[in-house]
């Protein structure tokens, strides 16, 4: 097919690729050379020794390259019968006309040619200079056994930065084609594995002189069968030389590093030091001191060893948990980056994974695509790219086809404005075309950037809130531990004068005080809160992926649970996106339909066969042009089956043309057509168009789009489609009304209506229209799309998805308002919305043009009731989202187009379409709907609420344990004569393990049920801990403290242990052996029995406390006031398994824990007492749930006000007292602790570092101080830390009170 392309001026060129690669350094030498060659005869002048002609036609598989090009002065030269048009002054001579702006003058008489060669950056570079490797990239230029002409480094010179000199040195587009052993028309062969032979650099670059123009190459038929079997070793040599299109996975954090991070907590380190000292003193006491004659060898060393073992267990469990989490998120990141792109292989358009793209591939470009690899444009129409993410250039970059650029380089007319380079990571803003891939993966420009930006996992808002709360809980726990240590230390010092123990024994006693205080801090600091969020999110994202929700941003998970409104597209989301033409109108006279009731008995409705059988060949060709040429869809394969790939609306029209208009392969229909200008689909004007040049020289504009808008553009109509010469008459008012009625009839049947228009022009662009500023040969669409000829309308059916009506109802029951935002007309939108159940009694329906004209006051008044926005543009959607957010709504939005990007970004949660969405839309979204189904959004709501519930459950559980454990340990230690807590350090570490890890796993893995949708969304400013949660926390804490303290203080008497130890004879002896000071029996046998009973009682307190937590975990499975806490428990295998581990662990501790856990084995009766004391917490929870939340809120609010009234003065006094101490500690920390800490970290880093050697270059990852110029960015998640100094501010806990 002929296209208007830039041709070289008729001049003699005696040159070679080598001379092109080595241009003269002196411009005058070059001009003299050309002038000398131009003095030959006329016949010689018109003969090119070496021909570099841009093709005037393109293959069916390639979108023709742009018909415009800049001449020496900016004019465009066209190849129509060897004439060259000028925009400013048009003078044509059929023999040898040539336009000029005083830069070139030719005289046919004397064949005198003076050429002023255009310049571009690097024009004076030789081949060696243009391809000279940079010092840091030399390894990219060295490839062993390379069967290709070029190395990755040489190909990268095209874009490092953009270099026409490098492009010229590589032989241009044809040199790249030959050197990369590919085909610009057919692409790579699907059967390629290893390659025989080798193509040299010289052979590739010189082949540019002899390569066939694209239009002379064989057209590849679209029915060529492409194998769908997996080829073993496919593209082996290409992947070996150029790598594949993947970035190396971020080096995972080793499990040893995760163990170190888990251990790298100040509190654990201090506890380890204290335990080590305790162990040393215990060993010294056991080995270096004589044993007690009555008590035997000392076992104090066992506690120190047990604490160390417990710390190791905690670190191991935490590290393994983090390792599992890291692996889950790595798998998620790999899935979210994968997508499909359109490639040409073996002459067939196919969809392939972006990871399978390799150098030499020919890829399609369409508006909205995100470019997956670097390359050079082969051909296209109106391609403009946004390269801001790759180059920082904010302007849209116009692209010129590689063949055209090569021709300009040969002609000497190239300028720096020519840009054939396609950069990975950039976005296609408009246009269609194909490009040749030259760099992939780590060798691509975007890949090099991303290699240094592999960032760590994001922190969600909920994690931030919980981290703040954890700090405050840790502050309170640390204060309690500090107060306990202070009290016990005073008591210890006061008792020293009368203490007759050995120094080691007294040192051990003091260490016991320190260890208990530190262990209370360990228990009090809730490191598990942020971990619980991470576990819930990782579990939810994995499950959501199975339900067709690919989460790209973790924050979207928790946010979606609180969504209050969903602004949904219609096509593909509420409907199936399986479009079929079922009715239509040819002109305004012929109606046709298939299996649909048009509810109009007055009209004569024909079948498809009858209607299209009437068409004359002229009318049939016109319809074929409107459907096949004015389309971006193409033939390809999906799942091994031939199909049309592209917009579902366009594929429906192509199917109609194939079945009823006799259309052959699309490629053949397009092969003989010269496309002059494309107008890509624009969601604002709701239409698309194309200008073609007919054989008669007439230019025809074909437009199709939204029917009611197209009808307004028409002033004429085709009145007789059966005549060979089409009858064109004025579109009368009656005909317009009839056509409009048909459109409304289609719309009421929920059909999408598409109208087709056309108009012929004698020249292009027409004289009376405005042209584009940067291309004077391109007309503005608004100026040419007027006074069009109405050709017809089709009604396209897109049935509702199964389950959409139920999903909409579920959202409404969950308090979520569903709004439909569509580009369809108001009648079609209303019909679909009624079928879905979106429209309610008070619901409003508006059109985009009216909506955007509303004032702020009117918009705020109307928005709460607005349920359908028809004929909307992406800007209308963005305005809608912005206003809804200003009204306090949590907004979810769906979008599939490039222009939907701003609305998707603006929304709280953006959903893009995985099947129909553009790459720009996907990158702007937070969640990708893999099946484009509205029902999947409901699943996202359920899992979002599940995440929030899981965190609330764990928070409720952990705060209950924190309060109970800290108070119990504090009170028992202060009350004990030996200053020992009833819960030993090892026991507290076991409780901490239950809280921070086991409970998080159990409570974070409850799958959601549909009942979770039976409540309203949680407002944005709702507190983390609700009144209902406080009610359960305080109620359970009171019960647990009451039971454990009663057991501790009076359990000895209640259970009658004093009488069990004393026989009748022993009672009489005790009267004489009574200690006057202590009031206890001095009988040795009775003393041993009493001591055993005390230890068993303490064991019972510990056992009862742990069983209370196990039973309370079931209570925390519900956050509402309903009683069924076992609902769905059998479906949660994690919960069952974790509880089995906790129960088994607790039983083993009691039976075999012994001295390590400071427990004594208890008998069956004592076990029954423990269980019976713990089990009522389940019944107590029922009583708590019966208390109205309003009463609880009143009590808690009053208590909080009283507490703050007393606490604020105390806090001020403490701040004054301890401020100097804090300053002194900071100075000490900065001068002593911090340098020591940095030194230890550097030492560990050096010891764990692995040196990688390759190509004479060593890569090391050092710290900033040591590396200097080569700092490697790593992901090192911070281990939970206990803040030494915490801000003295009220904790972020809010009580909700009844309104």
């Amino acid at each position: 097919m002929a296209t208007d392309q830039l041709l070289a001026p008729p001049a003699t060129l005696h040159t070679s690729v080598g001379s092109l690669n080595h241009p003269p350094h002196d411009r005058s030498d070059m001009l003299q050379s050309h002038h000398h060659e131009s003095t030959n005869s006329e016949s010689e002048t018109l003969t090119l020794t070496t021909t570099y002609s841009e093709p005037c036609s393109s293959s069916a598989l390639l979108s023709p390259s742009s018909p415009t090009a800049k001449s020496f002065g900016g004019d465009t030269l066209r190849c129509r019968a060897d004439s060259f048009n000028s925009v400013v002054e048009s003078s044509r001579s059929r023999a040898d006309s040539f336009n000029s702006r005083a830069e070139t003058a030719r005289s046919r008489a004397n064949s005198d040619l003076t050429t002023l060669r255009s310049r571009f950056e690097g024009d004076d570079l030789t081949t060696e200079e243009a391809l000279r490797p940079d010092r840091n990239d030399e390894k990219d230029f060295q490839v062993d056994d390379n069967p290709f002409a070029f190395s990755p480094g040489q190909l990268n010179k095209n874009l490092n930065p953009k270099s026409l000199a490098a492009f010229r040195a590589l032989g241009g587009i044809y040199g790249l084609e030959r050197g990369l052993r590919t085909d610009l028309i057919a692409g790579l062969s699907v059967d390629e594995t290893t390659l025989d032979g080798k193509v040299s650099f010289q052979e590739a670059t010189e082949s540019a002189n002899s390569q066939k123009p694209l239009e002379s190459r064989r057209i590849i038929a679209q029915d060529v069968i492409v194998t769908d079997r997996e080829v073993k070793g496919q593209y082996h040599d290409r992947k070996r030389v150029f790598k594949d299109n993947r970035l190396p996975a971020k080096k995972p954090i080793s499990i040893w590093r995760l163990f170190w991070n888990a251990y790298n907590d100040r509190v654990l380190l201090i506890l380890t030091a204290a335990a080590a000292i305790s162990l040393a003193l215990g060993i010294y006491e056991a080995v270096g001191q004589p044993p007690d004659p009555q008590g035997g060898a000392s076992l104090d060393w066992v506690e120190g060893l047990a604490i160390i073992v417990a710390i190791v267990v905690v670190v191991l469990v935490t590290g393994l948990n983090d390792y599992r989490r890291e692996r889950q998120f790595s798998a998620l990141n790999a899935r979210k980056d994968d997508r499909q792109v359109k490639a040409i292989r073996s002459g067939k358009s196919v969809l392939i994974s972006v990871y399978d793209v390799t150098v030499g591939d020919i890829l399609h470009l369409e508006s909205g695509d995100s470019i997956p690899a670097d390359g050079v444009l082969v051909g296209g129409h109106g391609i403009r790219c946004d390269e801001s993410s790759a180059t920082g250039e904010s302007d849209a970059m116009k692209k010129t086809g590689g063949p055209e650029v090569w021709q300009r380089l040969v002609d000497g007319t190239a300028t720096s404005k020519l840009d054939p380079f396609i950069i990975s990571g950039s976005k296609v803003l408009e246009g269609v075309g194909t490009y040749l891939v030259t760099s992939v993966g780590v060798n691509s420009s975007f890949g090099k950037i991303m290699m240094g930006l592999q960032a760590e996992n994001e922190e969600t808002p909920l994690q931030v809130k919980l981290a703040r709360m954890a700090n405050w809980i840790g502050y309170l726990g640390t204060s309690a531990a500090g107060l306990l240590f202070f009290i016990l230390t005073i008591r210890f010092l006061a008792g020293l004068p009368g203490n007759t123990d050995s120094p080691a024994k007294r040192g051990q006693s003091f260490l016991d005080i320190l260890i208990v205080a530190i262990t209370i801090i360990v228990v009090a600091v809730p490191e598990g809160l942020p971990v619980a969020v991470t576990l819930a999110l990782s579990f939810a994202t994995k499950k959501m992926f199975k339900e067709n929700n690919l989460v790209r941003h973790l924050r979207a998970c928790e946010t979606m649970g609180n969504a209050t409104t969903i602004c949904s597209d219609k096509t593909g989301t509420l409907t199936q996106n399986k479009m079929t033409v079922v009715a239509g109108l040819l002109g305004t006279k012929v109606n046709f339909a298939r299996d649909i009731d048009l509810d109009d008995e007055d009209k004569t409705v024909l079948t498809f066969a009858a209607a299209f059988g009437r068409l004359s060949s002229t009318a049939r060709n016109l319809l074929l042009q409107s459907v096949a040429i004015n389309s971006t869809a193409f033939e390809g394969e999906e799942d091994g089956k031939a199909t049309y790939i592209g917009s579902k609306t366009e594929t429906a029209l192509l199917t109609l043309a194939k079945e009823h208009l006799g259309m052959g392969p699309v490629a053949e229909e397009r092969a003989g057509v010269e496309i002059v200008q494309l107008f890509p689909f624009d969601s604002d004007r709701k239409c698309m168009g194309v200008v073609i040049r007919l054989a008669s020289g007439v230019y025809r504009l074909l437009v199709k789009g939204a029917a009611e808008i197209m009808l307004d553009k028409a002033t004429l109509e085709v009145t007789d489609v059966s005549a060979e010469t089409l009858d064109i008459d004025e579109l009368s008012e009656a005909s317009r009304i009839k056509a409009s009625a048909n459109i409304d009839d289609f719309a009421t049947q929920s059909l999408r209506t598409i109208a087709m228009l056309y108009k012929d022009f004698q020249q292009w662009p027409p004289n009376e229209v405005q042209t584009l500023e940067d291309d004077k040969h391109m007309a503005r669409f608004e100026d040419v799309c007027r006074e069009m000829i109405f050709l017809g309308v089709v009604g396209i059916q897109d049935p509702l998805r199964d389950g959409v009506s139920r999903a909409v109802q579920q959202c409404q029951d969950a308090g979520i308002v569903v709004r439909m935002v569509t580009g369809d007309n108001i009648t079609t939108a209303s019909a679909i919305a009624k079928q879905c159940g979106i429209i309610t009694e008070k619901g409003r329906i508006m059109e985009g043009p009216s909506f955007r004209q509303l004032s702020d006051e009117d918009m705020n008044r109307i928005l709460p009731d607005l349920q359908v926005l028809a004929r909307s543009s992406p800007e209308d959607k963005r305005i809608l989202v912005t206003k809804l957010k200003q009204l306090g709504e949590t907004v979810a939005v769906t979008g599939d187009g490039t222009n939907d990007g701003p609305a998707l970004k603006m929304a709280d949660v953006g959903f893009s379409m995985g099947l129909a969405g553009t790459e720009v839309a996907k990158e702007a979204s937070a969640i990708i709907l893999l099946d484009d189904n509205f029902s999947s959004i409901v699943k996202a709501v359920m899992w979002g609420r599940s995440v929030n519930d899981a965190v609330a459950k764990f928070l409720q559980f952990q705060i209950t344990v924190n309060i109970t454990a800290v108070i119990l340990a504090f009170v028992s230690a202060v009350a004990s004569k030996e200053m020992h807590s009833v819960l030993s350090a090892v026991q507290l570490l076991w409780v901490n393990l239950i809280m921070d890890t086991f409970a998080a796993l159990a409570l974070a893995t409850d799958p959601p049920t549909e009942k979770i949708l039976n409540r309203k969304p949680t407002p944005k400013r709702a507190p983390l801990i609700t009144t209902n949660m406080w009610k359960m926390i305080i109620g359970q804490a009171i019960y647990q403290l009451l039971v454990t303290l009663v057991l501790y203080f009076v359990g000895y008497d209640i259970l009658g242990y004093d009488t069990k130890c004393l026989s009748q004879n022993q009672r009489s002896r005790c009267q004489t052996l009574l200690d006057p000071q202590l009031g206890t029996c001095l009988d040795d046998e009775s003393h041993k029995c009493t001591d055993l009973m005390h230890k068993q009682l303490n064991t019972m307190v510990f056992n009862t406390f742990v069983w209370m937590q196990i039973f309370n975990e079931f209570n925390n499975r519900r956050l509402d006031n309903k009683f069924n806490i076992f609902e769905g428990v059998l479906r949660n295998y994690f919960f069952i398994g974790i509880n089995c581990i906790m129960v088994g662990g607790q039983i083993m501790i009691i039976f075999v824990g012994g001295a390590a856990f400071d427990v004594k084995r208890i008998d069956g009766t004592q076990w029954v007492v423990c269980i019976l004391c713990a089990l009522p917490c389940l019944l107590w929870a029922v009583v708590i749930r019966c208390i109205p939340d309003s009463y609880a809120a009143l009590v808690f609010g009053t208590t909080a006000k009283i507490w703050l009234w007393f606490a604020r003065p105390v806090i001020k006094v403490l701040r004054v007292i301890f401020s100097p101490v804090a300053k002194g500690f900071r100075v000490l920390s900065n001068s002593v602790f911090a340098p020591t800490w940095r030194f230890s970290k550097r030492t560990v880093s050096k010891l764990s570092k692995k040196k990688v050697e390759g190509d004479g270059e060593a890569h090391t990852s050092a710290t900033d101080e040591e590396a200097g110029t080569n700092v490697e960015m790593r992901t090192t998640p911070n281990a939970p830390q206990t803040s030494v100094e915490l801000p003295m501010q009220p904790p972020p806990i809010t009580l909700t009170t009844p309104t």
Side-chain angles (χ1 to χ4, degrees), residues 707-708 711 738-748 753 790 793 825:
E708 65 275 13
L711 187 60
K738 182 179 179 181
S740 180
N742 275 275
I743 294 171
D744 290 339
D745 285 342
F746 296 156
T748 55
T753 54
F790 185 79
V793 177
N825 64 46

Side-chain angles (χ1 to χ4, degrees), residues 898-1005:
T898 302
N899 292 339
D900 288 327
L904 290 170
K905 279 285 188 183
M906 180 70 65
D908 294 292
V909 181
F911 286 88
S912 62
M913 304 296 107
L915 299 177
T918 64
E919 293 307 320
V920 173
K922 292 176 183 177
E923 291 193 9
S925 65
I927 299 176
I928 299 175
L929 292 179
L930 299 178
D931 60 351
D932 294 7
N933 195 341
F934 184 84
S935 298
S936 297
I937 300 179
V938 179
K939 296 291 186 183
V941 174
M942 293 172 59
W943 278 107
R945 293 190 175 188
S946 176
V947 168
N948 293 328
D949 285 358
V951 173
K953 293 173 185 176
F954 180 74
L955 184 62
Q956 180 174 290
F957 173 80
Q958 187 165 54
I959 292 180
T960 304
V961 181
N962 277 356
I963 293 174
T964 310
V966 171
I967 294 178
L968 179 60
F970 184 94
V971 172
S972 60
V974 172
S976 172
K977 296 176 181 179
E978 295 84 7
M979 294 182 291
H980 287 170
S981 166
V982 68
L983 301 177
S984 69
V986 182
Q987 292 172 2
L988 285 172
L989 288 175
W990 167 243
V991 172
N992 183 68
L993 187 64
I994 291 176
M995 286 194 313
D996 286 344
T997 303
F998 291 152
L1001 281 169
L1003 294 174
T1005 52

Side-chain angles (χ1 to χ4, degrees), residues 620-654:
R620 185 181 301 272
N621 289 336
L622 183 56
L623 280 174
L624 276 176
Q625 290 172 353
S626 297
V627 172
I629 308 304
N630 188 18
S631 173
T632 57
F634 56 91
E635 288 173 318
E637 283 188 353
E638 285 184 355
D639 300 326
K641 297 180 180 180
T643 185
Y644 295 115
I645 299 175
S647 164
K648 296 301 180 182
T649 302
E650 295 189 32
T651 58
L653 292 172
L654 290 176

Side-chain angles (χ1 to χ4, degrees), residues 501-614:
D501 292 335
S502 64
K505 196 75 172 178
R506 283 178 289 185
Q508 183 68 49
S509 299
F510 179 76
L511 275 178
D512 289 343
I513 295 172
L514 177 63
I515 288 172
V516 170
I518 295 173
T519 309
I520 287 178
I521 297 177
V522 174
V523 175
V525 174
E527 299 100 333
L529 285 181
V531 174
V533 183
T534 305
L535 286 173
L537 287 172
S538 63
F539 181 76
T541 51
K542 183 178 179 180
K543 294 295 183 180
M544 288 174 69
F545 179 76
K546 294 180 179 180
E547 296 183 348
N548 297 311
N549 283 273
L550 177 55
V551 180
R552 300 185 69 253
H553 302 295
L554 288 179
R555 66 176 59 233
C557 256
E558 58 193 51
T559 306
M560 193 59 207
N562 300 324
T564 59
T565 183
I566 299 174
C567 299
S568 174
D569 286 339
K570 176 186 74 69
T571 304
T573 308
L574 298 173
T575 60
Q576 296 180 17
N577 205 20
K578 295 179 180 178
M579 298 193 181
T580 307
V581 177
V582 295
L585 181 66
L586 298 177
T588 60
K589 304 293 191 297
V590 181
N591 293 87
F592 60 92
R594 178 175 59 194
D595 301 330
I596 189 168
D597 181 12
L598 296 179
D599 295 331
D600 192 345
E601 299 178 355
D602 296 335
K603 291 185 297 188
T604 302
V605 181
L606 303 178
T607 64
F608 276 53
F612 290 106
R614 290 187 176 188

Side-chain angles (χ1 to χ4, degrees), residues 816-965:
I816 303 172
V817 178
V818 180
R819 294 177 167 89
M820 188 171 76
V821 184
T822 178
D824 283 341
N825 64 46
I826 195 167
T827 307
T828 303
S830 177
I832 293 290
K834 288 178 181 177
Q835 292 182 37
C836 295
I838 291 176
I839 296 181
T840 60
E841 294 181 1
K842 298 181 179 180
R844 284 177 175 265
I845 303 175
M846 290 190 68
E847 288 188 321
S850 302
F851 172 77
R852 69 180 75 112
Q853 300 298 327
L854 294 174
S855 64
D856 290 341
E857 293 78 10
D858 291 338
M859 196 170 289
N860 292 339
R861 177 176 51 83
I862 290 174
L863 274 182
D865 298 327
L866 181 64
Q867 293 176 340
V868 176
L869 187 61
R871 279 289 170 240
S872 63
S873 68
E875 179 62 16
D876 296 330
K877 185 184 289 188
R878 189 193 66 80
I879 294 173
L880 176 64
V881 172
T882 303
K883 291 297 182 182
L884 286 172
K885 290 185 69 175
Q886 290 175 358
L887 293 176
E889 303 277 359
T890 301
V891 186
V893 172
T894 67
D896 57 5
T898 302
N899 292 339
D900 288 327
L904 290 170
K905 279 285 188 183
M906 180 70 65
D908 294 292
V909 181
F911 286 88
S912 62
M913 304 296 107
L915 299 177
T918 64
E919 293 307 320
V920 173
K922 292 176 183 177
E923 291 193 9
S925 65
I927 299 176
I928 299 175
L929 292 179
L930 299 178
D931 60 351
D932 294 7
N933 195 341
F934 184 84
S935 298
S936 297
I937 300 179
V938 179
K939 296 291 186 183
V941 174
M942 293 172 59
W943 278 107
R945 293 190 175 188
S946 176
V947 168
N948 293 328
D949 285 358
V951 173
K953 293 173 185 176
F954 180 74
L955 184 62
Q956 180 174 290
F957 173 80
Q958 187 165 54
I959 292 180
T960 304
V961 181
N962 277 356
I963 293 174
T964 310

Side-chain angles (χ1 to χ4, degrees), residues 13 15-24 50 52 117 123 125-127 165 168-169 205 208-209 406 409-412:
L13 269 176
T15 184
S16 65
V17 174
S19 63
L20 281 174
N21 292 334
H22 302 271
T50 304
Y52 301 90
R117 183 183 178 95
D123 189 19
L125 295 179
T126 64
T127 299
R168 179 183 62 189
T205 53
N209 306 337
W406 175 245
L409 288 169
V410 172
D411 297 341

